[in-house]
Amino acid sequence: MTLTGKLLIGAQQVAGDKGSLFAINPATGQPLEPAYSLGGAAHVERACELAEQAFDTYRQTVPAIRAQFLEKIAHNIESLGDELIVRAMAETGLPKARLEGERARTCHQLRLFAATIQAGEQNRPRIDPRLAERKPLPRADIRQRRIALGPVAVFGASNFPLAFSVAGGDTASALAAGCPVIVKGHSAHPGTSELVGRAIQSAVAECQLPEGVFSLVFGAGSEVGAALVSHPVIQAVGFTGSRTGGMALLRIAQARPQPIPFYGELSALNPVVLLPGVLSEKGDDLGRQFVASLTLGAGQFCTNPGLLLALDQPSLENFVTSAVTALRESSAQTMLSPAIHNAYQHSTVCIAHNKHVETLAQGIGSDDPNTCRAVLYATNATAFLADPNLHEEMFGAASLLVRCRDEQELLRVLHHLEGQLTATLHFTDADLPLARKLLPVLERKAGRILANGWPTGVEVCHAMVHGGPWPATTDVRATSVGTAALERFLRPVCYQDLPDELLPPELREDNPLKLKRLVDGQSA
Amino acid sequence: MTLTGKLLIGAQQVAGDKGSLFAINPATGQPLEPAYSLGGAAHVERACELAEQAFDTYRQTVPAIRAQFLEKIAHNIESLGDELIVRAMAETGLPKARLEGERARTCHQLRLFAATIQAGEQNRPRIDPRLAERKPLPRADIRQRRIALGPVAVFGASNFPLAFSVAGGDTASALAAGCPVIVKGHSAHPGTSELVGRAIQSAVAECQLPEGVFSLVFGAGSEVGAALVSHPVIQAVGFTGSRTGGMALLRIAQARPQPIPFYGELSALNPVVLLPGVLSEKGDDLGRQFVASLTLGAGQFCTNPGLLLALDQPSLENFVTSAVTALRESSAQTMLSPAIHNAYQHSTVCIAHNKHVETLAQGIGSDDPNTCRAVLYATNATAFLADPNLHEEMFGAASLLVRCRDEQELLRVLHHLEGQLTATLHFTDADLPLARKLLPVLERKAGRILANGWPTGVEVCHAMVHGGPWPATTDVRATSVGTAALERFLRPVCYQDLPDELLPPELREDNPLKLKRLVDGQSA
């Protein structure tokens, strides 16, 4: 498939008129053909107009139609074959196996949402039947279902060019819910975005859906993003990216007359707490496991373990020795983009110069462009509590060990943390009393709590929560991974005394979709 | 019980230091003893400190304990007997029967939330068991539940001194979810607020809960409200009131570094669409029913039918004649407060002077203070579409009939409307084709759609949606009435590979709470 370098507006390929950009191969620093033309507010306007036109038809499709569409997208992505993988490798520096795995995850995700909407769990119909004889007043017949919010803007993330990008979790869940989607493709991987975008565009046509169900725009600076988020047609936003970028878009969303849900997944340190008992038992193993998790994908995961907390006891030293050894053997890895590499350099230089921070070990360096050299720092709790700079995410394979004097200080550090995507406890039976004390604190700090594992690797399933208190996300009620992500794009509507023939199928008396429904408060 | 005129901060009665106010009896215009002392930011600070201290204990109570607490509140409110009703009558001008009904509704609401949390439906635990043999990677054990958001600020509404005030729907749902509540009492009914507040305060003590579970503050101007909404301890806000007041608080919430859910129920016209067939069949009846709904409680309901839409055909005239006759016979009624009466006077004077608006009929006038004289206006669709002033809520027994030339114009008017709490269709079999065309538009405009009924009267049940697109509310995903209101104050947390002994009861392998759970995506 020849890359066109164009925007996808509904069924059209459209050249932008706001200049152009090239993707950069981070492994070589060289630009990649073709040039990608950039759009502006007028392109957003057209995409929104088409999305609005498509919305009523699309939201009222039965789940089986939307499921077929999601499956078709997965099929079309797979049909791109190696071309997609090769382009994504060139644009992101990520290795083949990782991208193949990510493609599998992306297609699994689309198919899981397809299955989920057909099972109907996200809809949760509620029926309170008429009580004609109730005194003093009869009760009307009242039935509730959830309907799609409206067109959704999705911002592709740099670090998952497939799973959190054009056909990633935000797009899949919004489309599953019945919302048209307009994606702003990430400028670091426009070719990958175009390939996946065209796979979706084809699926729209093949499923005979209105063209406005999907558009893909590119833009420089903030014009396109701001135009999207402030457009009256847009009814929700999904974003995965930096805290600065996400908060800027959130503020634009908040300046709208009409408030809309803004689902931003911003940043996290993902604290890992190592309790004394488990450190005594297997500090060595934990050190190696930690470095494997830290350096996976050059540390470019939202759930990268960027903070280690432990009591400053002799049992900690086995862990440190083992982690230091493993880290020193870790190879340099190409980062996703020059911008991310620069940010990593900046944050590691800053922390290395902090007089309360010791550099415990560094990985192997490299003269290749844009490489990440892994690094582990250490400090004490007093310094950590006093310095907000030490609470900032360092995106990449860098982590900070905070030594705490005692349990009280450990608790104080945990209380002091900002919101997190994950919090991990390593413990053994001897640590259970302390683990019990920490759990309630961790629950308030994070969306996912792990026991004796590592936070990298986010399962796409029904129970997953990839979310958490701010600044991990901008909306603590939501998850951006797993089937509960669907609920972000639905709203409840109730129907009072409607005759069966006017009711939507999920609420009809004979329950043609065979859904589980809450009847008079009881599951039926 | 002697009214103290004090704030309730945790277990204490505290005198404010920011001046004082008296409730005004709107029927006489005279002040009511005692003076209510007003608090400031320092009182909010203390209430928030106590709420934060109480939160972890309170949120971790088992549902049975919180249910007992809610039932105790209902019992204590009932035990206030006539004293509560007499004070509320004096402060609001509402009649005895209405307030007795509202008390019954308030206590029913508390008991319904008690029953609901014990059934556990709001929790929706999800379990994806470990798949140790899965290839290429095993799946961890992942379990999700919902936990309380944190302390909640509730703003009492003027128009439901019991059901949407100190122990109203927002408070009941937040307490049920496990969130401490700080109420800002409405200055129009401080005595009613104190009585109910002390009923809750006693219930906190009787149930041996931490005192910070509940506080009640009063304040003048915006200091107390702004301090509450911007306080870092507060994790969500529930508000029912004017669009101006609600939007001002929303903007304060948005200016926080940490975004929080803001559930504001602001304003609505609650359009009622009268289709031609039903007008031919029973225009007379509908005219009388309409006036009964319009004038109920002096029209001071969020769901008051403030807008009538119909095709300008001869069949409409029966309805108009009947409504005009009934309206002319309707008595003047005391409004809730001088401020509300002034606003009603202002909005009706403005619309009556609009040259495109005809006054069809007025109710009986009165020289008594603060009375509402019901009124029905008419205009045509062209004028309505052109003038945003005609889309503004007139809080009180005023309504506007918009005559539409044809179906296209009717659809245009509906498309043009802002978000609504309710939308009502009156139709007969002959109107079904048109009703089918209108329904999808109404779904996008309102949270509740009624057939052949009247929007006043909001059932407290499982399927109710009292919500809708902005400006009906500030968060279209939520309802403020019915058991789904609970979900506003919960957030999901997931647990990966936690041993059974560390899991919360709703997620334990043996399911001790006997909840319905979603296991591997299947209800079990």
Side-chain angles (χ1 to χ4, degrees):
Chain A
M1 196 184 285
T2 313
L3 293 175
T4 66
K6 291 184 176 171
L7 288 65
L8 308 178
I9 309 284
Q12 308 296 312
Q13 298 176 357
V14 178
D17 54 5
K18 302 275 179 180
S20 64
L21 63 74
F22 290 90
I24 304 292
N25 183 331
T28 64
Q30 296 305 308
L32 293 161
E33 291 289 340
Y36 271 81
S37 71
L38 302 171
H43 297 96
V44 168
E45 183 60 42
R46 179 64 185 145
C48 286
E49 194 183 315
L50 289 172
E52 172 61 28
Q53 283 167 22
F55 177 49
D56 263 322
T57 304
Y58 184 61
R59 77 176 176 91
Q60 294 185 79
T61 51
V62 293
I65 296 291
R66 294 200 301 284
Q68 205 175 48
F69 172 47
L70 294 168
E71 284 160 3
K72 178 69 79 181
I73 295 171
H75 172 81
N76 290 356
I77 290 171
E78 286 166 347
S79 299
L80 291 166
D82 272 357
E83 188 182 0
L84 177 66
I85 302 298
V86 168
R87 178 76 192 189
M89 286 169 68
E91 288 186 329
T92 65
L94 292 171
K96 186 160 196 267
R98 147 72 194 268
L99 286 166
E100 285 172 345
E102 192 179 326
R103 177 177 59 188
R105 174 201 174 101
T106 304
C107 295
H108 161 64
Q109 190 161 260
L110 288 158
R111 293 184 174 115
L112 184 64
F113 280 115
T116 300
I117 55 174
Q118 293 199 83
E121 165 61 21
Q122 81 293 346
N123 193 302
R124 296 207 304 281
R126 292 169 168 234
I127 299 180
D128 292 324
R130 180 188 322 282
L131 298 176
E133 308 301 323
R134 192 182 65 171
K135 302 291 174 202
L137 288 170
R139 182 174 78 183
D141 180 276
I142 300 170
R143 295 168 188 243
Q144 179 188 129
R145 68 161 175 165
R146 303 197 166 211
I147 69 172
L149 272 185
V152 170
V154 170
F155 289 77
S158 62
N159 63 338
F160 280 88
L162 301 172
F164 282 85
S165 197
V166 178
D170 286 335
T171 299
S173 53
L175 290 177
C179 300
V181 169
I182 303 173
V183 176
K184 178 176 184 292
H186 199 283
S187 54
H189 53 259
T192 308
S193 297
E194 183 190 342
L195 288 169
V196 173
R198 282 162 66 182
I200 303 178
Q201 197 183 48
S202 299
V204 171
E206 291 165 71
C207 294
Q208 301 181 288
L209 294 169
E211 58 170 326
V213 165
F214 174 77
S215 290
L216 169 64
V217 293
F218 298 106
S222 60
E223 181 186 343
V224 160
L228 259 179
V229 170
S230 58
H231 199 286
V233 156
I234 295 298
Q235 295 300 301
V237 179
F239 171 91
T240 300
S242 72
R243 182 161 169 179
T244 315
M247 289 305 287
L249 288 173
L250 171 65
R251 297 309 178 200
I252 292 168
Q254 289 176 332
R256 297 167 56 111
Q258 176 213 16
I260 57 170
F262 184 94
Y263 301 109
E265 195 259 82
L266 307 185
S267 73
L269 301 176
N270 303 296
V272 175
V273 188
L274 305 163
L275 298 192
V278 76
L279 283 175
S280 302
E281 256 185 38
K282 46 178 188 177
D284 275 5
D285 289 351
L286 290 176
R288 278 187 296 272
Q289 290 168 17
F290 159 67
V291 172
S293 175
L294 176 71
T295 57
L296 194 69
Q300 300 166 117
F301 292 110
C302 322
T303 55
N304 199 52
L307 184 68
L308 295 167
L309 305 173
L311 300 186
D312 194 9
Q313 295 179 350
S315 64
L316 176 57
E317 294 320 308
N318 279 349
F319 171 86
V320 170
T321 306
S322 149
V324 162
T325 306
L327 199 70
R328 288 188 177 140
E329 292 165 2
S330 71
S331 309
Q333 295 175 74
T334 306
M335 297 194 85
L336 290 157
S337 70
I340 284 177
H341 176 254
N342 288 343
Y344 181 72
Q345 292 298 101
H346 178 76
S347 52
T348 50
V349 166
C350 285
I351 192 171
H353 284 81
N354 187 310
K355 66 176 182 217
H356 298 294
V357 172
E358 174 193 2
T359 300
L360 291 180
Q362 281 192 289
I364 299 165
S366 163
D367 291 334
D368 292 341
N370 303 311
T371 50
C372 172
R373 185 174 185 185
V375 57
L376 176 61
Y377 303 102
T379 191
N380 60 52
T382 312
F384 184 74
L385 288 166
D387 187 351
N389 292 322
L390 298 180
H391 294 244
E392 278 175 26
E393 184 184 35
M394 300 176 279
F395 193 74
S399 191
L400 173 65
L401 167 66
V402 177
R403 300 177 198 265
C404 303
R405 257 197 320 270
D406 51 27
E407 292 184 10
Q408 280 61 44
E409 200 173 52
L410 172 60
L411 268 164
R412 204 146 58 239
V413 167
L414 288 174
H415 274 295
H416 200 74
L417 289 179
E418 293 188 308
Q420 304 292 339
L421 291 168
T422 70
T424 301
L425 271 182
H426 281 275
F427 57 92
T428 184
D429 284 353
D431 300 311
L432 278 172
L434 180 52
R436 274 204 187 83
K437 264 190 242 174
L438 302 185
L439 260 180
V441 188
L442 300 184
E443 276 176 343
R444 292 189 59 184
K445 293 293 175 183
R448 178 163 57 117
I449 295 170
L450 296 92
N452 296 316
W454 297 96
T456 43
V458 181
E459 185 71 39
V460 179
C461 59
H462 302 285
M464 178 51 63
V465 177
H466 187 65
W470 184 84
T473 78
T474 56
D475 193 328
V476 71
R477 294 163 290 181
T479 172
S480 65
V481 175
T483 59
L486 256 168
E487 302 182 14
R488 298 179 299 167
F489 303 114
L490 296 169
R491 69 178 181 91
V493 175
C494 88
Y495 304 84
Q496 182 167 326
D497 285 337
L498 252 67
D500 215 51
E501 56 199 310
L502 288 186
L503 281 172
E506 51 269 57
L507 295 179
R508 274 181 211 144
E509 202 54 32
D510 63 351
N511 194 8
L513 302 181
K514 307 285 173 233
L515 299 173
K516 295 265 178 201
R517 311 195 287 193
L518 199 71
V519 178
D520 249 336
Q522 304 295 315
S523 192
Chain B
M1 199 184 285
T2 313
L3 293 174
T4 67
K6 292 185 176 169
L7 289 66
L8 308 179
I9 309 285
Q12 308 296 313
Q13 298 177 355
V14 178
D17 53 6
K18 301 275 178 179
S20 65
L21 63 76
F22 289 89
I24 304 292
N25 183 331
T28 63
Q30 296 304 307
L32 292 162
E33 291 289 340
Y36 271 81
S37 71
L38 302 170
H43 297 95
V44 168
E45 183 60 43
R46 178 65 185 144
C48 286
E49 194 183 317
L50 288 172
E52 173 61 28
Q53 283 168 20
F55 177 50
D56 263 320
T57 304
Y58 184 60
R59 77 176 177 89
Q60 295 185 78
T61 52
V62 294
I65 297 292
R66 295 200 300 283
Q68 203 175 50
F69 173 47
L70 294 167
E71 283 161 4
K72 179 67 79 179
I73 295 171
H75 171 82
N76 289 357
I77 289 172
E78 286 165 346
S79 301
L80 291 165
D82 271 357
E83 188 183 359
L84 177 66
I85 302 297
V86 168
R87 178 75 193 191
M89 287 169 68
E91 288 186 328
T92 65
L94 293 171
K96 186 160 197 266
R98 147 71 195 268
L99 287 166
E100 286 174 345
E102 192 179 325
R103 178 178 57 189
R105 173 203 175 98
T106 305
C107 294
H108 162 64
Q109 190 161 260
L110 288 158
R111 293 184 174 116
L112 184 64
F113 280 115
T116 301
I117 55 173
Q118 294 199 82
E121 165 61 20
Q122 81 294 344
N123 193 300
R124 295 207 304 282
R126 292 169 167 231
I127 298 179
D128 292 323
R130 180 188 323 280
L131 299 175
E133 308 300 322
R134 193 181 66 170
K135 303 289 173 200
L137 287 171
R139 181 173 79 183
D141 180 276
I142 301 171
R143 295 167 188 243
Q144 179 188 129
R145 67 162 177 166
R146 303 199 165 211
I147 69 171
L149 272 184
V152 170
V154 170
F155 288 77
S158 63
N159 64 337
F160 279 88
L162 301 173
F164 283 85
S165 197
V166 178
D170 286 335
T171 299
S173 53
L175 291 177
C179 300
V181 169
I182 302 173
V183 177
K184 177 175 184 292
H186 199 283
S187 54
H189 53 258
T192 308
S193 296
E194 183 191 341
L195 289 170
V196 173
R198 282 162 64 180
I200 303 178
Q201 197 182 48
S202 298
V204 171
E206 291 165 73
C207 294
Q208 301 180 290
L209 294 170
E211 58 170 327
V213 165
F214 174 77
S215 290
L216 168 65
V217 293
F218 299 106
S222 61
E223 181 185 344
V224 161
L228 260 179
V229 170
S230 57
H231 198 287
V233 155
I234 295 298
Q235 295 300 302
V237 179
F239 171 91
T240 300
S242 73
R243 182 162 170 177
T244 315
M247 289 304 287
L249 289 174
L250 171 64
R251 297 309 177 201
I252 292 168
Q254 289 176 332
R256 296 166 56 111
Q258 175 213 17
I260 57 170
F262 184 94
Y263 301 108
E265 195 258 81
L266 307 185
S267 73
L269 302 175
N270 303 297
V272 175
V273 188
L274 306 162
L275 298 192
V278 77
L279 283 174
S280 301
E281 257 186 35
K282 46 178 189 177
D284 275 6
D285 288 352
L286 290 177
R288 279 187 295 274
Q289 290 169 18
F290 160 66
V291 172
S293 175
L294 177 70
T295 57
L296 194 70
Q300 300 167 120
F301 291 109
C302 322
T303 56
N304 199 52
L307 184 68
L308 295 167
L309 305 172
L311 300 185
D312 194 9
Q313 295 179 350
S315 64
L316 176 56
E317 295 319 308
N318 280 349
F319 171 86
V320 170
T321 307
S322 149
V324 161
T325 306
L327 200 69
R328 287 188 178 139
E329 291 166 0
S330 71
S331 309
Q333 294 175 76
T334 305
M335 297 194 84
L336 289 158
S337 71
I340 284 177
H341 176 254
N342 287 344
Y344 181 71
Q345 291 297 100
H346 178 76
S347 52
T348 51
V349 165
C350 285
I351 192 172
H353 283 82
N354 187 310
K355 66 177 185 221
H356 297 292
V357 171
E358 176 193 0
T359 300
L360 291 180
Q362 283 192 285
I364 298 165
S366 162
D367 290 334
D368 291 340
N370 303 313
T371 50
C372 173
R373 186 175 186 185
V375 57
L376 177 60
Y377 304 102
T379 191
N380 61 52
T382 312
F384 184 75
L385 287 167
D387 188 351
N389 292 321
L390 297 180
H391 295 244
E392 277 175 25
E393 184 182 35
M394 299 176 279
F395 192 75
S399 191
L400 174 64
L401 167 65
V402 177
R403 301 178 198 264
C404 304
R405 258 197 321 271
D406 52 28
E407 292 184 11
Q408 281 61 44
E409 199 172 54
L410 172 59
L411 268 164
R412 203 146 58 238
V413 167
L414 288 174
H415 274 294
H416 201 74
L417 290 178
E418 294 187 307
Q420 304 292 339
L421 291 169
T422 70
T424 301
L425 271 182
H426 281 275
F427 57 92
T428 185
D429 284 353
D431 300 311
L432 278 172
L434 180 52
R436 274 206 187 83
K437 264 189 242 174
L438 302 184
L439 260 180
V441 187
L442 300 184
E443 276 177 343
R444 292 190 58 184
K445 293 295 176 182
R448 178 162 58 117
I449 296 170
L450 295 91
N452 297 315
W454 298 95
T456 43
V458 181
E459 184 72 38
V460 179
C461 59
H462 302 286
M464 178 51 64
V465 178
H466 188 66
W470 184 85
T473 78
T474 55
D475 194 327
V476 71
R477 293 162 290 181
T479 173
S480 66
V481 175
T483 58
L486 257 169
E487 302 182 14
R488 298 179 298 167
F489 303 114
L490 296 169
R491 69 178 182 90
V493 175
C494 89
Y495 304 83
Q496 182 167 325
D497 285 337
L498 253 67
D500 215 51
E501 56 198 309
L502 288 186
L503 281 171
E506 50 270 57
L507 296 178
R508 277 183 208 141
E509 202 55 30
D510 63 349
N511 194 9
L513 302 181
K514 307 286 172 232
L515 300 173
K516 294 262 178 206
R517 311 195 286 192
L518 199 71
V519 178
D520 249 337
Q522 305 293 318
S523 192

